[in-house]
């Protein structure tokens, strides 16, 4: 009854409008249209659906008022008023969560349901869905659903589109129900665990209308050699990547799918050479074969693939000459090819000096990690659409001139690191591009600062070991100040660092092995890693100003003065190496404000103060460095007795070197009870008395030579993110150059 009244209201509303407009053409269309009308029972189904949801971003704020057809994501039939489509897909402006009410069953005519991209975390894929037998389109993808995929979905015989991809905790043990979805054109079951289905292909082969099949990360463990009678003649898009199928790439059933436009079998442990069958797949547009164990050259009949645009075969064993590779690319598709990624293979030889035709549409050329030699050919400069050129870690050489670069107006990523390429451009040359990534490690850019970089605004920059010398110009520091990570070690950069680096964005800076002099400035506020070792710096800042700093490498500079008390304000510091400087005075005590005994808690695990002129007693601040593993105070002027608190306060200590100081008194027994101690060097002090008997209990230390590997492993953990090899240090001292105790 209520329903009838409600519909009545809608019709009555429509009539006055008609009278006003009068013209007969709008009259007929208005009759056919059912504007502004919502069926009451469906409205209440939606209200109950909404009530079960959590909607923190208030995405369903328009779900108010009588006319549910005007609610966002709800679409009704203009003729009957029934809800036909419900699209509440999550997006950047928010996701829904909570429970999906079975009240949706009330939307009997529903043809389209999209619940994807939300966060129904832990919710079982609902068993009521199969009652929505009119559904043509069902998407439950990426929404945190869990549990078994209900076989009742096989009742949705009208489905054209079915996706429950990207719900990692779902599984199925039987997919025979799929065969009842005879109209299905699109199936995405990616990340559904299908590992318990011994033979998944026959069920899929019943889907004669299938155009798109996505079974990535399904833990499929078999891929039959062939389909005796393939039904999958409409299949255009196949993605079965990230399934561990350790077998040869041919024979394999998918080579029969000659209508494929998109094939992705990357990360699947396939081996052997790419078969000639590929040459029959003349519709192919995008081919992804990366990260398998494929060997040999691409097949010669690849030349038949006149629609090819994208070829990804990175991380494999593709070998042979790069010239042959280019010759085998289909010349009929030269003008279409947009991306070639052959990174991390074994291609050899020089890039061809000439191409048959220009690759006019190419946007990315990725050949890093091969064995390419010779110079960069001039045709690179004609690739007007190129945005990414990655030739990192080859053996290329030769010189790049303006001519190689002037035509590359769209270039964003120029990655040539690890080659001996020289870049020689006129100092007045202005590049046409605006790079986001510049990787030129070990190329030859210097000796002058590369002026062409002046107006670039990269987010990634590596110009380490590029033979640049001289003072860093101001414009360069300005560019550097917006980088996340700065890599310019191993040059001959001179002069002072900027007077403050406080406002720089960087969280990591590699400036080692240059000739920077003067004082170290206040550091970037968000810095976590700084390597300024092997420079000529003369002083430490009063305030470090980088409270998140974890690694600070300042060894082999000319730093004088004392370690400032602000060192105690680096609570995250794990690794400090300031060895090989000219520091004097005693170390700061790091006392907690107002306390005379309590020291601040520090995270330091690795402290190297060797080779300075530091004095004073054994550092007091170490009393609150529970995580200390490596301590080297050798070759300083430290004096006094060794503290008995070592064992209690430094329980993890493994490496302790105090040689060549002025410590005196007895060796405390506590020292010998340190459970993890593996290396102890107390030589060249004024310590008296004998070696305590218990030192014999240093099992690991006495068995040092056999345990060397063990120690190396341990120390690799400590020296995280550092490019200094402490393990090497360790093995040098243990190879008998320094005695344990004299
Ligand atoms: C419904 O109204 C729209 C204009 O709002 C019109 O374009 C459409 O043709 C109408 N539908 C029918 C079936 O008359
Ligand atoms: C979803 O259902 C569970 C169990 O029935 C309940 O605890 C939870 O509060 C419900 N969530 C919402 C948003 O209604
Ligand atoms: C789904 O199909 C099964 C048979 O496979 C049938 O028993 C069941 O009643 C159907 N469920 C619905 C909701 O139509
Ligand atoms: C091909 O599909 C049809 C219709 O779904 C089915 O009847 C037939 O058994 C399938 N053929 C094979 C070889 O699976
Ligand atoms: C590819 O075509 C060749 C002949 O052109 C044929 O011998 C071969 O069987 C075909 N391979 C497939 C997988 O269809
Ligand atoms: C390519 O690799 C395969 C398998 O490792 C090898 O048999 C073949 O000789 C190699 N070809 C070239 C040109 O290096
Ligand atoms: C070149 O690429 C564009 C898209 O970037 C595409 O629209 C166009 O069709 C391509 N040209 C050819 C000849 O394929
Ligand atoms: C190539 O290998 C390097 C080192 O293993 C790796 O970092 C890089 O991601 C690989 N490149 C591609 C495209 O996978
Ligand atoms: C550099 O460019 C300027 C202006 O384009 C030109 O006058 C000069 O000759 C060029 N120098 C060299 C060495 O090419
Ligand atoms: C380069 O791009 C950045 C943003 O990506 C922009 O801020 C900057 O103005 C651009 N510079 C030039 C010279 O086009
Ligand atoms: C520095 O670059 C040169 C020239 O490319 C190279 O030979 C050398 O190995 C590089 N050094 C390091 C440490 O990368
Ligand atoms: C440091 O990081 C915070 C949070 O990510 C950011 O808001 C701030 O702008 C950063 N500071 C600098 C100097 O980049």
């Amino acid at each position: 009854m209520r329903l009838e009244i409600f519909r009545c209201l809608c019709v009555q509303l429509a009539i006055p409008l008609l009278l006003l407009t009068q013209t007969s053409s709008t009259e007929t269309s208005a009759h056919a249209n059912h504007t502004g009308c919502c069926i009451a029972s469906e409205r209440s189904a939606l209200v109950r659906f909404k009530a079960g949801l959590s909607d923190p971003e208030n995405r369903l704020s328009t779900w108010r008022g009588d006319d549910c057809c005007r609610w966002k994501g709800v679409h009704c039939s203009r003729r009957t008023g029934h809800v036909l489509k419900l699209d509440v897909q999550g997006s950047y402006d928010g996701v829904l969560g909570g429970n999906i009410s079975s009240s949706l069953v009330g939307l009997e005519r529903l043809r389209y349901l999209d619940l994807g991209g939300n966060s129904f975390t832990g919710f079982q894929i609902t068993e009521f869905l199969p009652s929505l037998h009119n559904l043509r389109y069902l998407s439950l993808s990426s929404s945190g659903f869990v549990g078994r995929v209900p076989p009742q979905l096989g009742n949705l015989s009208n489905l054209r589109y079915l996706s429950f991809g990207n719900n990692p905790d779902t599984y199925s043990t039987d997919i025979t129900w799929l065969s009842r979805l005879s109209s299905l054109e699109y199936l995405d079951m990616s990340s559904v665990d299908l590992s318990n289905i011994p033979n998944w292909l026959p069920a899929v082969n019943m889907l004669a209308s299938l155009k798109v099949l996505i079974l990535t990360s399904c833990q499929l463990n078999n891929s039959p050699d062939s389909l005796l009678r393939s039904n999958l003649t409409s299949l255009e898009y196949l993605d079965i990547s990230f399934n561990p199928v350790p077998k040869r790439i041919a024979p394999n059933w998918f080579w029969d799918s000659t209508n494929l436009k998109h094939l992705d079998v990357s990360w699947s442990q396939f081996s052997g050479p790419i078969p000639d069958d590929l040459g029959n797949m003349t519709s192919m547009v995008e081919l992804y074969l990366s990260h398998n164990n494929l060997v040999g050259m691409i097949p010669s009949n690849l030349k038949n693939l006149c629609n090819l645009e994208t070829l990804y075969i990175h991380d494999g064993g593709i070998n042979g000459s790069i010239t042959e590779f280019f010759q085998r690319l289909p010349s009929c598709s030269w003008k279409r090819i947009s991306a070639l990624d052959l990174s991390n293979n074994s291609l050899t030889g020089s890039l061809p000096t000439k191409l048959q035709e220009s690759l006019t549409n190419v946007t990315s050329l990725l050949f890093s990690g091969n064995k390419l030699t010779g110079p960069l050919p001039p045709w690179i400069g004609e690739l007007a659409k190129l945005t990414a050129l990655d030739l990192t870690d080859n053996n290329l050489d030769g010189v790049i001139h303006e001519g190689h670069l002037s035509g590359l107006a769209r270039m964003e990523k120029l990655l040539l690191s690890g080659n001996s390429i020289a870049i020689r451009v006129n100092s007045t040359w202005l590049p046409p591009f605006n790079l986001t990534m510049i990787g030129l490690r070990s190329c030859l850019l210097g000796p002058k600062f590369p002026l062409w970089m002046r107006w670039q605004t990269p987010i990634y920059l590596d110009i380490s070991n590029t033979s640049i010398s001289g003072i860093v110009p101001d414009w360069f520091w300005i560019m550097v100040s917006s980088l996340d990570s700065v890599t310019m070690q191993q040059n001959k950069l001179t002069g002072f660092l900027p007077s403050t680096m406080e406002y720089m964005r960087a969280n990591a800076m590699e400036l080692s092995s240059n000739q920077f002099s003067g004082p170290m400035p206040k550091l970037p506020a968000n810095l976590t890693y700084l390597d300024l070792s092997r420079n000529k710096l003369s002083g430490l800042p009063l305030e470090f100003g980088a409270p998140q700093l974890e690694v600070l490498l300042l060894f082999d500079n000319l730093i004088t003065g004392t370690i400032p008390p602000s060192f105690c304000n680096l609570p995250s510091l794990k690794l400090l190496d300031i060895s090989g400087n000219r520091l004097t005075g005693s170390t700061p005590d790091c006392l907690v404000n107002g306390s005379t005994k309590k020291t601040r808690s520090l995270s330091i695990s690795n402290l190297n103060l060797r080779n300075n002129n530091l004095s004073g007693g054994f550092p007091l601040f170490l009393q609150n460095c529970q995580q200390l593993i490596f301590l080297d105070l050798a070759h300083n002027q430290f004096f006094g007795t060794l503290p008995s608190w070592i064992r209690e306060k430094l329980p993890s200590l493994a490496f302790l070197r105090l040689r060549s100081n002025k410590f005196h008194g007895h060796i405390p027994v506590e020292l010998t009870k340190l459970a993890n101690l593996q290396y102890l060097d107390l030589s060249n002090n004024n310590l008296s008395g004998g070696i305590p008997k218990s030192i014999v209990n240093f099992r690991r230390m006495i068995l040092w030579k056999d345990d060397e590997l063990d120690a190396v492993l341990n120390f690799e953990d400590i020296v995280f993110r550092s490019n200094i090899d402490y393990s090497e240090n360790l093995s040098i001292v243990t190879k008998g150059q320094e005695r344990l105790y004299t």
Side-chain angles (χ1 to χ4, degrees):
M1 274 309 282
R2 242 195 103 210
L3 177 94
E4 288 309 311
I5 291 164
F6 191 72
R7 295 190 68 168
C8 234
L9 263 175
C10 287
V11 174
Q12 279 169 4
L13 272 175
I15 291 167
L17 273 173
L18 276 181
L19 294 175
L20 284 175
T21 47
Q22 289 273 319
T23 61
S24 59
S25 66
T26 51
E27 191 175 307
T28 45
S29 71
H31 269 298
N33 274 323
H34 217 269
T35 333
C37 201
C38 162
I39 293 168
S41 64
E42 298 197 345
R43 182 182 177 281
S44 70
L46 289 169
V47 168
R48 272 184 288 148
F49 169 63
K50 182 184 175 184
L53 299 174
S54 64
D55 181 11
E57 281 87 12
N58 213 6
R59 293 185 57 222
L60 303 184
S61 59
T62 61
W63 287 34
R64 282 180 282 108
D66 285 338
D67 186 6
C68 70
C69 294
R70 288 167 181 255
W71 298 356
K72 194 175 168 208
V74 180
H75 300 266
C76 303
S77 160
R78 289 181 195 280
R79 203 166 42 79
T80 65
H82 281 287
V83 175
L84 299 182
K85 176 171 173 182
L86 178 59
D87 178 357
V88 292
Q89 197 189 99
S91 65
Y92 60 90
D93 56 350
V95 295
L96 302 172
N99 303 323
I100 299 170
S101 163
S102 60
S103 68
L104 284 184
V105 172
L107 307 175
E108 334 174 324
R109 306 278 178 93
L110 199 65
R111 294 162 69 106
Y112 184 112
L113 177 59
D114 192 342
L115 300 171
N118 285 299
S119 180
F120 300 111
T121 310
F123 204 75
Q124 298 269 335
I125 294 183
T126 38
E127 308 224 342
F128 68 83
L129 286 170
S131 325
L132 294 166
H133 52 267
N134 277 313
L135 279 183
R136 302 312 193 250
Y137 181 107
L138 176 59
S139 172
L140 305 173
S141 60
S142 309
S143 284
F145 288 109
V146 298
R148 188 172 73 130
V149 175
Q152 292 85 346
L153 287 174
N155 289 18
L156 298 174
S157 56
N158 291 310
L159 273 185
R160 309 281 195 275
Y161 181 107
L162 175 58
S163 172
F164 31 70
N166 277 319
N167 294 296
D169 292 318
T170 49
Y171 68 93
S172 179
T173 49
D174 176 11
I175 52 168
T176 50
W177 53 270
L178 272 177
S179 60
R180 289 189 281 144
L181 307 180
S182 55
S183 306
L184 204 61
E185 293 172 10
Y186 183 106
L187 176 62
D188 181 355
M189 295 182 75
S190 55
S191 86
V192 179
D193 181 351
L194 302 178
S195 59
N196 284 319
I197 300 178
N199 212 349
W200 55 275
L201 192 53
V204 170
N205 192 37
M206 301 291 276
L207 305 174
S209 308
L210 205 60
K211 289 194 178 119
V212 176
L213 176 61
I214 304 174
L215 296 174
T216 184
S217 304
C218 288
Q219 301 175 47
L220 297 174
N221 42 34
N222 66 82
S223 171
D225 286 354
S226 70
L227 272 171
L228 284 179
R229 278 182 303 125
S230 176
N231 256 340
L232 299 173
T233 49
S234 305
L235 199 62
E236 292 178 357
Y237 187 110
L238 175 64
D239 183 350
I240 48 169
S241 58
F242 291 91
N243 286 296
V245 190
K247 62 171 285 191
R248 289 177 75 82
I249 188 118
N252 245 312
W253 65 278
F254 45 80
W255 299 118
D256 298 339
S257 310
T258 48
N259 290 323
L260 283 181
K261 294 180 174 162
H262 175 114
L263 173 64
D264 189 344
V265 296
S266 5
W267 294 84
S268 298
Q269 300 178 18
F270 286 123
S271 59
I274 302 170
D276 284 340
D277 302 323
L278 178 57
N280 298 10
M281 303 173 110
T282 52
S283 304
M284 191 68 74
V285 178
E286 297 173 306
L287 184 57
Y288 298 92
L289 304 174
S290 295
H291 227 284
N292 286 292
N293 301 313
L294 306 183
V295 297
M297 181 41 67
I298 54 172
S300 60
N301 63 0
L302 195 85
K303 66 177 185 298
N304 302 342
L305 308 195
C306 293
N307 295 297
L308 195 66
E309 291 177 8
T310 301
L311 179 62
Y312 275 58
I313 325 182
H314 63 74
D315 294 271
I318 303 299
N319 59 1
S321 91
I322 184 89
T323 308
E324 189 171 3
F325 172 82
F326 274 100
Q327 276 163 359
R328 290 185 177 198
L329 287 179
S331 54
C332 52
S333 74
W334 271 128
K335 292 199 153 53
R336 289 179 196 273
I337 287 181
S338 79
L340 294 174
D341 187 350
L342 272 288
S343 309
N344 295 343
N345 282 289
S346 299
L347 292 167
T348 55
S350 301
L351 287 157
T353 45
K354 267 196 169 157
L355 294 183
Q356 294 129 297
E357 252 183 281
S358 182
L359 289 163
T360 46
N361 231 15
V362 85
T363 58
S364 49
L365 274 187
L366 314 174
F367 288 94
S368 66
N370 279 281
K371 298 171 178 164
L372 304 181
T373 52
L376 228 58
W379 56 260
I380 296 274
E382 290 157 20
L383 307 177
K385 290 194 179 171
L386 197 64
T387 58
L389 177 65
D390 188 356
L391 298 169
T392 304
D393 292 334
N394 279 285
N395 299 312
L396 297 164
D397 53 24
V399 178
I400 294 186
H401 296 291
E402 289 92 329
H404 290 95
L405 302 169
S406 291
L408 306 179
R410 307 242 183 116
M411 184 77 105
E412 291 167 12
K413 300 175 185 166
L414 179 63
L415 305 170
L416 304 174
S417 285
N419 290 287
S420 307
I421 296 174
I423 301 187
R424 294 264 168 264
V425 293
N426 193 329
S427 61
T428 58
W429 179 67
L430 270 185
F433 44 69
N434 190 1
L435 300 176
T436 57
M437 298 178 82
I438 303 179
L440 298 172
R441 166 177 48 84
S442 298
C443 292
L444 187 62
L445 299 185
K448 282 197 190 145
F449 241 86
L451 263 177
W452 62 267
M453 282 188 195
R454 181 156 189 173
W455 306 111
Q456 301 294 308
T457 50
I459 51 174
Y460 168 89
L461 174 77
D462 185 349
I463 53 159
S464 58
N465 189 25
T466 49
S467 308
I468 304 176
S469 54
I471 291 181
V472 180
D474 286 347
W475 64 261
F476 193 83
W477 285 122
I478 291 169
M479 175 171 90
V480 159
S481 64
S482 55
L483 292 170
D484 285 340
S485 135
V486 181
T487 310
M488 46 202 272
Q489 72 272 24
Q490 284 178 283
N491 282 294
K492 293 184 186 119
L493 306 177
T494 57
F496 285 17
L497 295 167
S499 57
T500 178
M501 293 184 158
E502 207 176 337
Y503 304 106
M504 292 190 172
R505 239 177 87 117
N507 54 53
M509 295 185 114
E510 296 252 23
L511 305 171
S512 63
S513 301
N514 280 293
Q515 293 161 21
F516 288 120
S517 55
M520 184 176 143
K522 194 166 178 183
L523 301 177
N526 290 336
L527 200 68
T528 61
Y529 180 99
L530 176 63
D531 187 354
L532 266 168
S533 61
R534 301 195 171 107
N535 277 287
K536 296 180 172 172
L537 295 176
S538 59
L540 295 175
L542 224 48
E543 286 293 338
F544 289 96
Q548 294 156 51
L549 199 63
E550 292 175 10
V551 176
L552 180 55
L553 303 174
L554 295 171
F555 62 89
D556 294 348
N557 276 283
L558 305 171
I559 300 172
T560 55
T562 57
I563 300 177
S566 69
F567 156 76
C568 308
N569 301 337
L570 299 172
S572 306
L573 195 64
K574 296 193 170 67
L575 173 58
L576 173 64
D577 189 339
I578 195 167
S579 61
N581 280 288
R582 299 170 180 176
L583 291 166
T584 50
S586 54
T587 54
D589 288 344
C590 298
L591 292 172
V592 173
N593 286 350
S595 164
T596 49
K597 280 198 180 138
K598 214 164 163 253
T599 61
R600 288 205 218 172
S601 169
L602 301 176
S603 313
I604 203 147
S605 66
N606 197 322
L607 178 65
N608 193 343
L609 303 177
R610 184 169 41 151
N611 283 339
N612 279 286
N613 277 314
L614 292 163
S615 56
F618 190 89
L620 199 62
F621 73 86
L622 292 176
Q623 285 192 53
N624 214 343
C625 296
Q626 285 270 324
Q627 291 154 51
L628 195 72
I629 297 173
F630 181 108
L631 177 62
D632 192 346
L633 304 179
H635 301 285
N636 278 291
Q637 312 286 332
F638 287 108
F639 53 80
T641 55
L642 299 182
S644 56
W645 47 258
I646 284 199
R647 178 175 173 228
E648 185 198 342
K649 307 282 191 181
L650 302 174
S652 310
L653 200 63
F655 181 106
L656 177 60
R657 182 148 76 165
L658 305 177
R659 111 185 313 259
S660 298
N661 277 288
K662 296 178 172 163
F663 290 113
H664 69 267
H666 288 273
I667 300 171
V669 228
E670 285 80 2
L671 203 64
T672 67
K673 290 183 182 155
L674 281 162
N676 297 315
L677 198 64
Q678 294 173 45
Y679 179 82
L680 176 64
D681 181 357
L682 305 175
S683 53
N684 276 329
N685 280 288
N686 300 321
L687 295 166
S688 57
I691 310 171
K693 273 231 171 69
S694 47
I695 211 155
V696 179
N697 294 336
F698 283 168
R699 220 185 118 255
R700 301 185 71 179
M701 199 169 65
I702 285 166
L703 296 177
W704 177 252
K705 286 220 160 81
D706 299 332
D707 269 5
E708 208 161 281
L709 188 64
D710 190 5
V712 170
L713 293 178
N714 282 342
F715 279 98
E716 264 168 16
D717 292 343
I718 310 165
V719 190
F720 73 108
R721 287 184 59 191
S722 157
N723 51 7
I724 308 175
D725 192 354
Y726 278 90
S727 56
E728 197 175 88
N729 249 348
L730 270 182
S731 49
I732 290 171
V733 278
T734 53
K735 278 187 186 126
Q737 291 174 5
E738 299 192 24
R739 270 183 298 151
L740 185 65
Y741 174 77
T742 51

Coordinates of all heavy atoms in Angstrom, one line a residue, residues 419-420 442-443 465 490, ligand 11:
N419 N 78.5 4.2 -15.9 CA 79.1 4.1 -17.3 C 80.3 5.1 -17.3 O 80.4 6.0 -16.4 CB 78.1 4.4 -18.3 CG 77.0 3.4 -18.5 OD1 77.3 2.3 -19.0 ND2 75.8 3.7 -18.0
S420 N 81.1 5.0 -18.3 CA 82.2 6.0 -18.4 C 81.8 7.1 -19.4 O 82.7 7.5 -20.2 CB 83.5 5.4 -18.7 OG 83.8 4.3 -17.8
S442 N 79.6 8.2 -11.6 CA 80.8 7.7 -12.3 C 80.8 8.2 -13.8 O 81.7 7.7 -14.5 CB 80.9 6.2 -12.2 OG 81.1 5.9 -10.9
C443 N 79.9 9.0 -14.2 CA 80.1 9.6 -15.6 C 81.1 10.8 -15.4 O 81.5 11.1 -14.3 CB 78.8 10.2 -16.1 SG 77.6 8.9 -16.5
N465 N 81.2 10.7 -7.9 CA 82.3 10.3 -8.7 C 82.2 10.8 -10.2 O 82.3 10.0 -11.1 CB 82.3 8.7 -8.7 CG 83.6 8.1 -9.3 OD1 84.6 8.8 -9.4 ND2 83.5 6.9 -9.9
Q490 N 82.7 11.6 -3.6 CA 83.8 11.3 -4.5 C 83.9 12.3 -5.6 O 83.9 11.9 -6.8 CB 83.6 9.9 -5.1 CG 84.0 8.8 -4.1 CD 83.7 7.5 -4.7 OE1 82.6 7.0 -4.8 NE2 84.8 6.8 -5.2
Ligands
LIG11 C1 84.5 6.3 -10.6 O1 84.4 6.5 -11.9 C2 85.4 5.9 -12.7 C3 85.2 6.3 -14.2 O2 83.9 6.0 -14.6 C4 85.4 4.4 -12.5 O3 86.4 3.8 -13.3 C5 85.6 4.1 -11.1 O4 85.4 2.7 -10.9 C6 84.5 4.8 -10.2 N1 84.8 4.6 -8.9 C7 83.9 4.2 -8.0 C8 84.3 4.0 -6.6 O5 82.7 4.0 -8.3

